[in-house]
Amino acid sequence: MAETLAQPNAGGGGGLDVLEPGYGDDGRPGEPARRQVETAKLGLWIALGSITMLFAAFTSAYLVRSSGNDWLPLVVPSILYPNSLLLIASSVSMEIARRRFLSFWPVSFRKWLLVTAVLGVIFLAGQVSAWKALAKQGIFLRSHPHSSFFYVLTGLHGVHLLAGVLVLLYVLVLATRRSLTPGESSSPELAATYWHFVDVLWLYLFVVLFYL
C-alpha cells in the first residue's frame, strides 16, 4: 500500500480530512495556528541560544584553566571516534526523516525517526563506556582539571542529547497516532533543528577537549 499522509482540504469531509481548529477554509494555517508555530520556533531558538551561552562560558573557563601548571593532557578514549561518527550518522537519518515527512511518506518518516532515536541511545551508551574506560585508568571527575572539564562537559551534552531522544520519541508517538500533517505541524522540523544542534555541539566539544 502506498504511503500517504492526510492533507487538509476545505471540503469538511469526515475522518482525517476534517479541518483542525485554527486553520482557514483553504486548509492553510490560520492566524492563531501561525502564531503558535512562530512562538514554538522562537522558544526553541531562545533555548538554543541559552545552551550556546552555557557552553561558551565553560569554554572560556576551560581555556583559562588550561594554562595552569596542574593541567594534564587527557588521552582520547578510543570509543569516542566511532561514537562521533555514529552521531553524525544520526544527523543524516534525522534529515532523511524530516524530508520524508515533508514529502508525505509517513511510514518512512517514522522509520527514520526511530533510527535516529536508536542511534542517539547507542551514542549515550558509548559515552558511558568512555567514562568507564577513564575510570579504569584511575581518571575521575576530581583527578585533575582536564578530567573535570571532560566529565562535566560530556555529561551536560549527554543530558541535552537525552532530552533530544525523548523529543524524538514524543514526535514518533504523535506520528503513529497520525496527529502530524506536513505543512501544518512544526514538531518534526523543530525536533530536527534541535537534533542537528546537539550533534554540532558534540563535534565542537570534541575539538575543544582534545585538539584546541
Side-chain angles (χ1 to χ4, degrees):
M1 178 179 295
E3 295 180 84
T4 58
L5 275 176
Q7 302 183 50
N9 59 42
L16 292 175
D17 290 334
V18 176
L19 293 177
E20 297 180 9
Y23 290 86
D25 293 337
D26 59 354
R28 295 182 180 180
E31 187 61 29
R34 282 197 296 268
R35 284 201 302 267
Q36 186 177 14
V37 170
E38 292 303 320
T39 299
K41 290 182 178 180
L42 178 60
L44 174 63
W45 285 110
I46 291 175
L48 297 185
S50 300
I51 297 172
T52 299
M53 292 177 64
L54 172 65
F55 281 93
F58 271 109
T59 300
S60 298
Y62 177 90
L63 294 176
V64 172
R65 194 66 183 84
S66 63
S67 61
N69 294 328
D70 57 345
W71 188 265
L72 298 176
L74 193 64
V75 178
V76 184
S78 58
I79 186 64
L80 293 186
Y81 290 109
N83 223 31
S84 298
L85 293 177
L86 197 69
L87 201 57
I88 293 173
S90 75
S91 258
V92 174
S93 63
M94 183 71 247
E95 184 60 20
I96 294 174
R98 186 187 70 85
R99 297 188 181 190
R100 290 290 189 272
F101 175 74
L102 295 177
S103 300
F104 292 81
W105 291 92
V107 175
S108 184
F109 166 65
R110 294 195 296 268
K111 180 187 72 174
W112 285 105
L113 198 64
L114 180 60
V115 168
T116 304
V118 170
L119 290 176
V121 172
I122 296 175
F123 174 85
L124 291 173
Q127 293 297 84
V128 174
S129 297
W131 296 335
K132 289 181 177 180
L134 290 178
K136 288 182 180 180
Q137 301 174 30
I139 302 175
F140 301 96
L141 177 65
R142 297 184 179 182
S143 295
H144 52 78
H146 198 173
S147 66
S148 297
F149 275 101
F150 174 81
Y151 279 104
V152 170
L153 290 176
T154 56
L156 280 175
H157 176 266
V159 169
H160 287 91
L161 192 128
L162 176 60
V165 171
L166 296 178
V167 168
L168 294 183
L169 294 177
Y170 171 72
V171 174
L172 183 60
V173 170
L174 292 180
T176 302
R177 294 178 177 176
R178 298 186 179 183
S179 301
L180 300 175
T181 304
E184 299 177 2
S185 306
S186 61
S187 298
E189 179 184 352
L190 298 179
T193 299
Y194 181 83
W195 193 262
H196 293 321
F197 174 82
V198 293
D199 284 7
V200 172
L201 179 60
W202 167 252
L203 297 178
Y204 166 78
L205 291 177
F206 192 84
V207 172
V208 168
L209 287 170
F210 298 108
Y211 296 105
L212 189 60

